[in-house]
Amino acid sequence: MDAPMEIKVPLNETKVMVPPPPKPTLDLSKLPEQERIRIQHQRMHEKHKGHEAMHAEMILILIATLFVAQILLVQWKQRHFKSYQMATMFGMWVIPVYFCLTMHWTRFLIIWALFSFFTSIIVYKATRKPLPGTTPRLVYRWFYTIYKISYGLGIIGYTIIMFTFLGLNLILMIKPEIAMDYGMVFLFYGLYYGVLGRDFAEICSESMASKIGYYTKTGLPGRALEPYICAVCGLTMRIPDEDEEGSERIYQLSCDHRFHEFCIRGWCIVGKKQTCPYCKEKVDLKRMFKNPWERPHMLFGQLLDWIRYLVAWQPIIFLLVQGSYYILGLE
């Protein structure tokens, strides 16, 4: 009887698959803040490793969208200014409210509701036919008050931010993040309501001027201007005595036409008109407002025009960019 054959398997040919031990989970909450930020930053780089081409494509889409949108907005503004103005004002009025609703910022919503309520009353009065003689003065007083408040808030916010950058907040024992938050809030309120009030004031200026009859967009005035009649509000101007206090001052332009103080301020500064309401002669704002403390108001008005694009159109442009990313499958 033959003995059983033994088959020897070389040890070097035997492969045993042993699974690697599981990596221990790292609890980031127990690490110091700097170490936690470093690990999160490292994980983000590992996640997006090899995505350089996709990132370059996303940047090109963003730049192209911004460039095309800017051209379209400029052409729209030049060809159809009225519709552009209304669309911009609607965006300025609604878009920040949407973000505040999602963020539950009740303070802004309350102030926005109060501003919208009183401004809607003013706009309603300015668009009535026939237009009462006291309405233009009421409208210009309201918007000029809003303009001065927004200007003051903007200056306060900017001052707080600059003092924080210089470290002066430490003298008052205020943390930099708290001081910067207050500065940004004041600056935002000043710029936002300054732009919004300016747009409403311009619409009211056009509507009231066309109804009063002294001003027309083209051609000669609708009727002759009597002496000591304000061509903006249509009311009689009374020359105040030198010792009289509380009376409204009267401004006379280079064309010799005279206006109430609040009427011409509202027309030139708030309503963004730089021509005489009656004869359309160019108004020299520096000559009309000789006080140097009043001149920054005109510069501030130009700043408000630059902010309008950032608030009204920038969110829409970024929404279009995100939509393009989603359609192309970019993350």
Side-chain angles (χ1 to χ4, degrees):
M1 185 175 181
D2 297 336
M5 182 181 297
E6 294 183 0
I7 301 176
K8 295 183 179 180
V9 180
L11 294 177
N12 55 358
E13 294 182 3
T14 304
K15 296 183 179 179
V16 179
M17 301 300 295
V18 179
K23 296 181 179 180
T25 58
L26 183 61
D27 190 1
L28 298 179
S29 61
K30 297 181 179 180
L31 298 177
E33 183 178 0
Q34 294 182 352
E35 183 67 16
R36 184 170 66 252
I37 294 175
R38 187 190 66 80
I39 295 176
Q40 292 176 350
H41 188 70
Q42 182 180 358
R43 290 179 177 179
M44 183 186 68
H45 276 282
E46 293 176 355
K47 179 180 179 181
H48 294 278
K49 186 177 181 180
H51 293 176
E52 290 79 7
M54 184 181 67
H55 293 166
E57 185 178 356
M58 294 173 67
I59 293 175
L60 291 177
I61 292 175
L62 175 61
I63 295 175
T65 305
L66 292 173
F67 181 75
V68 173
Q70 186 68 25
I71 294 177
L72 293 177
L73 289 175
V74 171
Q75 292 297 320
W76 184 12
K77 184 177 180 180
Q78 292 178 351
R79 298 175 184 271
H80 305 282
F81 177 75
K82 198 67 176 180
S83 59
Y84 170 83
Q85 182 189 40
M86 296 299 296
T88 303
M89 187 181 66
F90 182 77
M92 285 287 302
W93 189 44
V94 173
I95 291 177
V97 176
Y98 169 77
F99 288 106
C100 291
L101 286 173
T102 56
M103 299 293 181
H104 303 287
W105 292 343
T106 57
R107 178 179 54 194
F108 175 85
L109 295 175
I110 293 174
I111 298 176
W112 179 88
L114 293 174
F115 172 84
S116 301
F117 175 75
F118 289 108
T119 302
S120 61
I121 296 176
I122 297 296
V123 174
Y124 175 80
K125 290 180 175 293
T127 55
R128 295 303 92 197
K129 291 184 179 181
L131 186 69
T134 57
T135 300
R137 295 170 60 82
L138 173 64
V139 172
Y140 290 133
R141 281 181 181 270
W142 167 254
F143 285 115
Y144 188 58
T145 301
I146 295 296
Y147 188 78
K148 289 193 295 185
I149 293 175
S150 64
Y151 179 80
L153 291 176
I155 292 297
I156 292 174
Y158 178 78
T159 304
I160 294 176
I161 292 174
M162 293 305 299
F163 281 178
T164 305
F165 281 134
L166 296 175
L168 299 180
N169 59 293
L170 300 176
I171 300 177
L172 302 176
M173 304 299 291
I174 301 176
K175 295 182 178 180
E177 56 271 18
I178 296 178
M180 188 63 68
D181 288 343
Y182 275 98
M184 293 299 296
V185 168
F186 278 110
L187 186 61
F188 170 77
Y189 276 94
L191 295 176
Y192 175 73
Y193 288 106
V195 173
L196 200 58
R198 189 179 176 89
D199 289 343
F200 277 112
E202 184 173 7
I203 293 175
C204 292
S205 298
E206 288 285 355
S207 177
M208 291 187 302
S210 61
K211 292 180 178 63
I212 291 173
Y214 291 109
Y215 172 81
T216 56
K217 293 183 179 180
T218 58
L220 297 176
R223 62 176 188 263
L225 181 64
E226 300 295 333
Y228 297 106
I229 295 294
C230 179
V232 177
C233 67
L235 297 180
T236 304
M237 294 178 292
R238 185 172 61 87
I239 304 299
D241 298 333
E242 295 182 357
D243 299 333
E244 187 178 359
E245 296 182 358
S247 59
E248 186 175 357
R249 292 184 297 173
I250 295 175
Y251 280 112
Q252 182 174 345
L253 303 180
S254 58
C255 55
D256 295 334
H257 293 133
R258 300 176 180 179
F259 307 91
H260 292 114
E261 175 187 7
F262 283 100
C263 292
I264 196 62
R265 284 180 181 271
W267 181 267
C268 293
I269 299 181
V270 183
K272 294 188 292 187
K273 310 295 182 184
Q274 297 187 11
T275 57
C276 175
Y278 182 73
C279 66
K280 299 184 179 64
E281 182 175 331
K282 185 70 174 180
V283 175
D284 186 2
L285 298 180
K286 294 182 179 180
R287 180 181 177 184
M288 184 172 60
F289 302 116
K290 298 180 180 180
N291 188 348
W293 292 103
E294 294 177 342
R295 294 179 186 176
H297 290 278
M298 293 176 285
L299 299 178
F300 182 68
Q302 296 175 1
L303 174 62
L304 300 184
D305 293 334
W306 302 336
I307 300 299
R308 184 180 290 104
Y309 171 79
L310 298 178
V311 178
W313 295 113
Q314 200 73 7
I316 298 177
I317 293 174
F318 279 114
L319 182 63
L320 294 176
V321 173
Q322 292 295 330
S324 302
Y325 291 164
Y326 178 78
I327 294 175
L328 298 176
L330 303 176
E331 296 182 0

